Amino acid sequence: MTEAFQPNLDFTAVEQIDAGEAFVVDLDGYEGPLHVLLALARTQKVDLLKLSITRLAEQYLAFVHEARRRNFSLAADYLVMASWLAYLKSRLLLPRTEKAKGDEPPAEQMAAALAFRLQKLEAMRTAVEAITSRPQLKRDVFTRGDPQATLIVPSDRIDASLYDLMSAYVTQRRREQARHYNPGQRIEAFGLEAARDWLREVLPRLSDWTPLDRVAPERDATGDGPTQASYLASTLSASLELVKEGAMDVRQDQPFEDVWLKRRGLGQALELTP
Amino acid sequence: MTLDFKPDEIEMARRVEALLFAATGPLSLVEIARRLPEGADVAAAITDLQTQYAGRGVELECVADRWRFRTAPDLGFLMTEEREEPRRLSKAALETLAIIAYHQPVTRAEIESVRGVSISRGTLDLLLEMGFVRLRGRRRTPGRPVTYATADRFLEHFGLASIHDLPGAAEMKAAGLLDLSLPTGFEVPDPSRGMDADDEDPIEDGDTPEFAQDFVGD
Amino acid sequence: MTLDFKPDEIEMARRVEALLFAATGPLSLVEIARRLPEGADVAAAITDLQTQYAGRGVELECVADRWRFRTAPDLGFLMTEEREEPRRLSKAALETLAIIAYHQPVTRAEIESVRGVSISRGTLDLLLEMGFVRLRGRRRTPGRPVTYATADRFLEHFGLASIHDLPGAAEMKAAGLLDLSLPTGFEVPDPSRGMDADDEDPIEDGDTPEFAQDFVGD
C-alpha cells in the first residue's frame, strides 16, 4: 500500500494541516471512508452485494474508534461516515413495522446503495490492476528506437500564370513611378492682372463679336509659360470683370458653345443676352 | 513515382511493413493507404503482417485505432538501455485515470462520487500533463462542468486498440457498474462536496477556448 | 527476470530482433551479446534474421560492423511525401521574377531600385533553386555585381518559346493592366535586348563561392 510517489493526498482537510503534525495517518493508504469501507468489506470475504452492512458499520466504527484512540485527528469525512453508518445500522436493526419518515428511502435500499457504491469502487480498483498489468510502453514493450523520418518533398509545381507575372511587373513599375513622383514646378498660370491688361489692350479692336479663343493670347510656340487653357480661363475671368465695369459684353448661345466677346460703345445700351 | 503495375499482395505487405517500420508513431489505415496505390487493401496487408510477426521478437499491434510495431512484451527485460524510468502514478491518480477511462466522458464531480473523496487539483493536472487525459467538452447541466476523457496517448501507453478494449469493461457495463446515474437513496453523505444531482446529458459542445479558461480558473 | 533454460536458436533470434528494433542506433555483435545470456551465438542469430528478412519490406543491414534494421532500398520512395498542392509564389518572389524577366540582365541593386525595397536573400535563392532564374554574369562596374536572368524553366513554365515572346506593353494594355493612369514615359523594356549585353563578363566556374558571399553580404 505504500506509494513511492504520492504527491497528492486527497484530503481537503489534510491540506490545511501542517505536515508532520497531527494527521499523518495514511490510515494504511485509505483515502477516505469509502476506501476504508471497501477494505473492511473485503475482509468479510463475501460478495459485495451480500455484504452485511451492520457488520461493516461495526467494523468501521471500531476502526474510527481505534484511530481516535491513537490520538489521530480524523478528517470530517470519516466522522460523518461513522455517524451515518451508525444511523443506518440502527435503522436496519429496528423493527421494520415502523414507517419510514418523510422521503427517506427504506434502510435496506440505502444499505444496498452503499454496497453497490463499494462494488463500483472495487470495480475501478480491479480496473487499475488490469490496466497496469498490461504491457506498458517503454517498460515492457518498445517501439522502433530509430525511426526513419519521412522526407517531405515539396511540390514541384508552381502556381503562377503569365498574367500574374505581367501584373506583378506593372504593379511595381507603377509603384516605382509613384515613389519617384515629384510635385515639381508650380504650374505657371496666366495671371488675372495680366489678362485684364491684355483685354484692355485688345478691347478697341473688339467692335464685332469675337470668339474667346481668338481674343485670348496665343501660347508661346516654345511651349514655355502658361498653357493655352490657362490663357483661355484667365481671359474669360478678366472679360467678366470688364462686363461688370460696363466696358464689354459677353455672350454664349448654347452651353458648351463658343463664348463671344464684344466691346461696348460709349452710351450704348446694355445688350441683354438670351 | 508510383509503379505502373498493381503490386501484388506480397508487395503490398512489404510496403506496409516498410512504412510502419519507418514511422515515428502509430499509423492509421488511412495514413498508410495514402502512400499506397489506390485501391490497395491495407487491412489485408496488416492482417497478413500480423500473422507473419506473431510470436516473433517484434510484433504488430493496434493502438488507438492505429498500427505500430513493438517488441514482444516478454522481452521487455532485455531493453535495459531503452527503458525509461516510468513516472510512477499515485494510487489516487491511477484510480482517477481508471474512472475516466471506464466512464468517459466524466466530470470531476462524478469522479469524486465514485472515489468518495475529492480529487486534488494536482491529480488531474498530472494526468492531463502526461497526455493520458484530455478535456473533452462540457456537460449540459447547470454550471456546465468540464468533462474528461482519455487521450490517444493513454491507449498507446497501455497498448489498447480502443477504449472498448479496456479490460473487463463489458462485464462492468453489464453489471451496471459503469452507470453514473445513481439509484435513489444512493447518496452517502459526503462533507467534501455538496450532493451532486447531475443530470446526465452526453452531448458536448466543443468550445475549446473555454476549456482552457476554465482549466486555468479552476 | 532472465529465463532459466538456455534459450534455443529461435528464442535467440527473437531477442536479437527485439534488441535491434528498439535500439536507437546500429548495434555491434558485442553490444548485442552483452544483453544476452553468456555464450549466445549472436552471429548465428544475425544470419538467421538476415535470411528471414531477405526480400521483405524491412531488411537487416550491416554498417561499419554494426547491425540495424532499415527499410528495403527499393521502397525508399514510400518514405518521401510529395506535396500535391502547387506552391504559390510569394508576392515578393513573383515581383522579383517579373523584374528579372523584363529587365534582364539585372543586378540585385537594380531590382531593388524598381521594387523600392530590398530583396530578402531567400527570395532570390528560391527563384534560383526553382530554376526560374540563373546567374548570368558580372556587370563591368565597380564591385562587379552579379547579374540575373531568366533560366529555361522560366520559359517552360510560362509556355514561352523564347524570351522575345514575353508580353510587352501592348499585351499588358490588352489585358487591361495598363490604363489611363499610365505613368508618362512608361516603357516595358524588351527583354531580348539584354541578351547580348556587352557590359558584363560571363560567370566563371570558379566564381560560385563568391556568389554565396554576395548573398551573405546582403
Side-chain angles (χ1 to χ4, degrees), chain A residues 1-12 15 28-35 76-77 80-81 84 105 109-110 112-114 116-121 123-128 130-132 134-144 146-150, chain B residues 21-24 35 68-73 76 79 82-84 88-92 94-95 98-99 102-103 112-120 122-123 126 154 156-160 166-167 172 175-179 184-193:
Chain A
M1 279 288 194
T2 46
E3 292 289 333
F5 172 65
Q6 189 165 11
N8 317 304
L9 275 176
D10 286 348
F11 281 123
T12 11
E15 282 164 10
D28 285 332
Y30 305 137
E31 288 198 59
L34 274 188
H35 291 76
D77 308 34
V80 173
M81 179 61 86
W84 186 78
Q109 200 175 320
M110 289 164 76
L114 175 61
F116 188 72
R117 197 161 169 185
L118 292 180
Q119 210 188 355
K120 208 165 155 60
L121 182 59
M124 285 303 108
R125 295 214 142 174
T126 317
V128 166
I131 291 173
T132 52
R134 291 185 63 83
Q136 285 181 49
L137 194 62
K138 288 184 175 162
R139 187 191 76 178
D140 310 298
V141 297
F142 298 84
T143 51
R144 183 93 193 267
D146 186 20
Q148 292 154 252
T150 306
Chain B
F21 236 80
T24 48
R35 316 270 184 96
R68 72 172 176 206
F69 279 115
R70 58 139 175 81
T71 57
M79 314 301 161
E82 288 77 15
R83 185 172 304 131
E84 280 178 12
R88 284 209 54 179
L89 285 173
S90 68
K91 197 174 66 178
L94 280 171
E95 259 181 36
I99 293 166
Y102 283 82
H103 295 84
E112 291 177 340
S113 100
V114 176
R115 298 199 66 230
V117 281
S118 59
I119 324 172
S120 80
T123 304
L126 181 72
F154 166 77
E156 285 170 21
H157 185 88
F158 292 102
L160 294 162
L166 283 168
M172 288 184 205
L177 289 171
L178 300 186
D179 197 351
T184 44
F186 204 88
E187 285 87 16
V188 173
D190 182 351
S192 63
R193 63 160 202 288

Side-chain angles (χ1 to χ4, degrees), chain A:
Chain A
M1 279 288 194
T2 46
E3 292 289 333
F5 172 65
Q6 189 165 11
N8 317 304
L9 275 176
D10 286 348
F11 281 123
T12 11
V14 173
E15 282 164 10
Q16 283 131 30
I17 294 172
D18 281 351
E21 215 191 302
F23 197 75
V24 204
V25 191
D26 185 15
L27 292 174
D28 285 332
Y30 305 137
E31 288 198 59
L34 274 188
H35 291 76
V36 173
L37 281 169
L38 183 59
L40 294 172
R42 277 169 162 171
T43 63
Q44 290 190 24
K45 293 194 176 76
V46 288
D47 185 339
L48 277 173
L49 284 176
K50 295 174 190 145
L51 191 69
S52 162
I53 293 293
T54 52
R55 273 188 67 193
L56 190 65
E58 257 161 42
Q59 291 174 13
Y60 181 84
L61 292 171
F63 169 85
V64 168
H65 183 74
E66 173 65 13
R68 295 193 69 190
R69 200 183 61 78
R70 287 195 286 170
N71 203 17
F72 289 130
S73 41
L74 278 177
D77 308 34
Y78 286 87
L79 299 175
V80 173
M81 179 61 86
S83 54
W84 186 78
L85 278 174
Y87 166 70
L88 181 60
K89 183 185 161 192
S90 70
R91 279 195 56 194
L92 284 167
L93 294 176
L94 282 171
R96 224 168 280 183
T97 47
E98 195 185 321
K99 287 239 168 182
K101 285 173 280 175
D103 298 332
E104 214 153 79
E108 290 78 12
Q109 200 175 320
M110 289 164 76
L114 175 61
F116 188 72
R117 197 161 169 185
L118 292 180
Q119 210 188 355
K120 208 165 155 60
L121 182 59
E122 171 74 2
M124 285 303 108
R125 295 214 142 174
T126 317
V128 166
E129 277 162 38
I131 291 173
T132 52
S133 63
R134 291 185 63 83
Q136 285 181 49
L137 194 62
K138 288 184 175 162
R139 187 191 76 178
D140 310 298
V141 297
F142 298 84
T143 51
R144 183 93 193 267
D146 186 20
Q148 292 154 252
T150 306
L151 189 67
I152 307 279
V153 181
S155 168
D156 207 27
R157 289 188 298 136
I158 301 294
D159 191 12
S161 68
L162 205 48
Y163 180 84
D164 294 333
L165 188 77
M166 284 155 68
S167 75
Y169 182 72
V170 173
T171 321
Q172 288 182 98
R173 289 300 305 275
R174 209 171 260 149
R175 270 208 309 262
E176 180 198 12
Q177 206 77 27
R179 259 194 334 271
H180 294 305
Y181 173 71
N182 182 356
Q185 320 82 358
R186 285 186 51 216
I187 294 160
E188 208 179 323
F190 184 40
L192 266 183
E193 286 294 327
R196 219 176 290 131
D197 294 346
W198 167 261
L199 212 50
R200 284 194 208 285
E201 198 183 314
V202 296
L203 193 61
R205 282 178 270 147
L206 296 179
S207 51
D208 276 324
W209 289 108
T210 316
L212 175 66
D213 51 359
R214 281 174 52 197
V215 177
E218 284 282 314
R219 196 180 181 211
D220 190 2
T222 61
D224 291 338
T227 60
Q228 193 57 42
S230 178
Y231 280 121
L232 272 181
S234 299
T235 309
L236 179 64
S237 294
S239 69
L240 295 177
E241 279 182 49
L242 292 186
V243 168
K244 201 175 162 191
E245 287 170 14
M248 64 188 296
D249 290 323
V250 174
R251 183 187 108 202
Q252 187 182 33
D253 296 335
Q254 291 283 325
F256 302 111
E257 293 274 293
D258 278 345
V259 175
W260 300 83
L261 311 178
K262 182 172 170 276
R263 163 172 68 89
R264 193 188 289 178
L266 279 173
Q268 203 174 339
L270 180 73
E271 194 173 330
L272 290 172
T273 55

Side-chain angles (χ1 to χ4, degrees), chain B residues 14 17 52 55-57 74, chain C residues 14 17 52 55-57 74:
Chain B
R14 280 187 81 224
E17 184 181 25
Q52 286 179 39
R56 304 186 57 147
D74 66 313
Chain C
R14 281 187 79 221
E17 185 180 28
Q52 285 178 39
R56 306 189 54 146
D74 65 313

Side-chain angles (χ1 to χ4, degrees), chain C residues 22-116:
Chain C
T24 50
L27 296 179
S28 69
L29 294 186
V30 175
E31 285 165 334
I32 298 170
R34 203 182 299 139
R35 307 221 213 152
L36 296 179
E38 219 162 313
D41 190 346
V42 181
I46 290 276
T47 314
D48 190 12
L49 283 174
Q50 213 171 7
T51 320
Q52 285 178 39
Y53 275 93
R56 306 189 54 146
V58 171
E59 289 173 2
L60 196 53
E61 180 192 48
C62 182
V63 278
D65 282 334
R66 284 155 194 271
W67 294 87
R68 72 164 178 211
F69 280 117
R70 64 112 201 244
T71 54
D74 65 313
L75 296 180
F77 69 92
L78 286 174
M79 313 309 150
T80 60
E81 192 173 334
E82 215 165 325
R83 293 263 181 254
E84 284 298 307
E85 287 288 292
R87 274 193 292 174
R88 275 193 76 87
L89 277 179
S90 71
K91 198 166 149 246
L94 188 65
E95 289 182 356
T96 306
L97 180 62
I99 296 167
I100 295 174
Y102 282 96
H103 294 255
Q104 59 187 293
V106 63
T107 66
R108 174 198 216 105
E110 287 161 355
I111 300 170
E112 289 176 343
S113 116
V114 176
R115 297 208 63 223

Side-chain angles (χ1 to χ4, degrees), chain B residues 85-207:
Chain B
E85 201 43 56
R87 205 164 176 177
R88 284 209 54 179
L89 285 173
S90 68
K91 197 174 66 178
L94 280 171
E95 259 181 36
T96 303
L97 181 60
I99 293 166
I100 293 173
Y102 283 82
H103 295 84
Q104 56 186 299
V106 65
T107 66
R108 175 195 215 107
E110 287 160 353
I111 300 168
E112 291 177 340
S113 100
V114 176
R115 298 199 66 230
V117 281
S118 59
I119 324 172
S120 80
R121 196 186 144 186
T123 304
L124 270 175
D125 278 2
L126 181 72
L127 293 173
L128 283 161
E129 185 203 304
M130 291 177 74
F132 281 175
V133 160
R134 66 193 163 96
L135 299 168
R136 189 176 180 279
R138 284 185 182 277
R139 185 68 47 80
R140 284 210 187 122
T141 51
R144 307 207 338 120
V146 166
T147 57
Y148 297 89
T150 52
D152 281 353
R153 172 107 203 274
F154 166 77
L155 299 175
E156 285 170 21
H157 185 88
F158 292 102
L160 294 162
S162 76
I163 55 165
H164 304 291
D165 299 297
L166 283 168
E171 294 88 326
M172 288 184 205
K173 193 169 186 167
L177 289 171
L178 300 186
D179 197 351
L180 281 169
S181 55
L182 310 175
T184 44
F186 204 88
E187 285 87 16
V188 173
D190 182 351
S192 63
R193 63 160 202 288
M195 296 291 180
D196 55 329
D198 272 9
D199 291 321
E200 282 298 318
D201 182 357
I203 303 154
E204 317 294 334
D205 31 13
D207 44 353

Side-chain angles (χ1 to χ4, degrees), chain C residues 115-174:
Chain C
R115 297 208 63 223
V117 285
S118 60
I119 323 171
S120 78
R121 187 188 151 185
T123 305
L124 270 175
D125 278 359
L126 180 77
L127 292 172
L128 284 161
E129 184 202 304
M130 291 194 317
F132 276 0
V133 159
R134 67 193 163 96
L135 300 167
R136 191 176 179 281
R138 285 187 177 279
R139 184 71 49 79
R140 282 205 209 102
T141 51
R144 307 205 337 120
V146 168
T147 58
Y148 297 90
T150 51
D152 285 348
R153 172 122 198 263
F154 171 82
L155 297 177
E156 283 164 28
H157 179 88
F158 291 101
L160 301 167
S162 78
I163 203 66
H164 298 273
D165 299 308
L166 197 62
E171 285 92 343
M172 288 179 185
K173 206 170 279 179

